[in-house]
Amino acid sequence: MHAISFSFNYQNIIAGQGFQLAFAGMTIVFTALVLVSIFIALLPKVLVVLNRLIPEVHHHTAAPKQRETSDETAIAAAIGFALHTQQQPR
Amino acid sequence: MHILVDFLATTAVANMTIGNLLMLVVGMIFISLAIRKDYEPLLLVPIGFGCIVGNIPSIASMAVGVYDQGSVLSYIYFGVSQGIFPPLIFLGIGAMTDFSTMLSSPRLVLLGAAAQMGIFLTLIGALYLGFSPAEAGAIGIIGGADGPTAIFLAAKLAPHLLGAIAIAAYSYMALVPVIQPPIMKLLTTRKERLIRMKPPREVSQREKIIFPIVAFLICALIAPASVGLIGMLFFGNLLKESTVTERLANTARTALIDIVTILLGFSVGCSTQAQTFLTPESILIFGLGALSFAVATACGVLFAKFMNLFSKNKINPLVGAAGVSAVPDSARVVQMIGQQEDPNNYLLMHAMAPNVAGVIGSAVGAGILWSVLVG
């Protein structure tokens, strides 16, 4: 590993074009995400047209989402407990 | 007898330095924090044990360590040094990310962009401290709060600082619940923290399918150096949202990401050898890393307040802190701070929008820094 000597100096920023790099970098990041944001905002309107031209299809390979049995059992137990608690005389 | 003496000279005990001993202790501390305090265990256990393995000294003629050509560890480390593992992790992240909150509130994407200021202001700070531009770029990316992105860029721009940068990035990501709250409270008023936002709208499946394709094209055309990270992120997301490749998406977000996390964490830990890790530069990197997180949080919050000057539907400025893309920890912090003021104010889903936007922003930022600073 090469030896590094530290010199805390404002001139280091100028020599490394730090401000230009920071400004350009932030501008490009913002531009990319602003464009993404605009695209997202326009997407519902585009889909209104697209859905008329290319209607949605349901693929046979896409399995319907199924809740796991353990979830249903847990939910049923929670409901049962809540009802039981509610029905207990105070 | 001289054979025995020669052998003793090759043992790790004979070659152990104080630095190696210290790093062995550091590795054990990481493992202890992971197991006892549940501190990012999926990362700190591999990194901690890798730290222990990497600091067992060997003699020069034995190719054992991660930096020794032809050693087993060097072949595993190849995935880090050549930037292979981070895109694979992004594939898994994309396969487990739900972009629907971002799709329902596009203006919150800008908060993710604002938080990336932490990267570039830290870069300026690193230049001031005397790091070279490439090193400063690799250190600055810590502010993106994204482990794979930090490792990817450090491997490209400053491989000799990769260990310190990776440890700093993951450590501060785990410390988000400590770093962010004071800054969020300092920069917001109670009235602002009580702002309730409109519930996000329903997003159609078609939106979720089209989004990764078009968003990738936008980001890649602007910053093509980010293609590896952004491409894998959106590819993984498409595998998830298309609903016809559920097997592949499931593999990407479970087995694949777990395998890569094990190999990446372990080999990064092995790279933290005392000779390369215990240096004054590492201390500066840790200091700059803390600064980067603080600046990124502040910029996200302040930008939200700025947007409120022009918005009828006010944004809760706390949500800006979630632009720091430590998913989902910073979003959880926003939820927690918001509920301290109003227990019925649910900000988590709103915060997820800038949170995931920040992942995209930090990957684009890494691509920009790589393309400008390489060579």
Side-chain angles (χ1 to χ4, degrees), chain A residues 10-62:
Chain A
Y10 179 77
Q11 288 303 318
N12 295 337
I13 303 173
I14 308 294
Q17 297 183 296
F19 294 120
Q20 295 96 310
L21 195 52
F23 179 75
M26 273 313 295
T27 302
I28 297 169
V29 169
F30 248 100
T31 302
L33 288 179
V34 162
L35 288 174
V36 168
S37 181
I38 292 170
F39 155 68
I40 294 170
L42 292 174
L43 189 53
K45 299 181 179 67
V46 169
L47 281 179
V48 167
V49 175
L50 193 65
N51 285 342
R52 272 192 231 131
L53 295 172
I54 311 173
E56 288 202 53
V57 294
H58 295 285
H59 291 275
H60 67 279
T61 51

Side-chain angles (χ1 to χ4, degrees), chain B residues 3 11 26 37 47 63 72 96 120 148 184 226 269 271 273 280 284:
Chain B
I3 296 173
T11 62
V26 167
K37 301 280 186 188
I47 289 176
V72 172
M96 63 173 82
F120 297 98
M184 292 159 74
S226 65
S271 74
Q273 293 176 354
L284 290 179

Side-chain angles (χ1 to χ4, degrees), chain B residues 173-188:
Chain B
M173 280 162 61
L175 287 172
V176 150
V178 173
I179 297 172
Q180 289 197 310
I183 298 167
M184 292 159 74
K185 288 179 183 170
L186 186 69
L187 295 176
T188 54

Side-chain angles (χ1 to χ4, degrees), chain B residues 107-121:
Chain B
R107 63 182 181 151
L108 297 183
V109 170
L110 302 180
L111 301 180
Q116 305 317 309
M117 198 67 162
I119 297 174
F120 297 98
L121 290 180

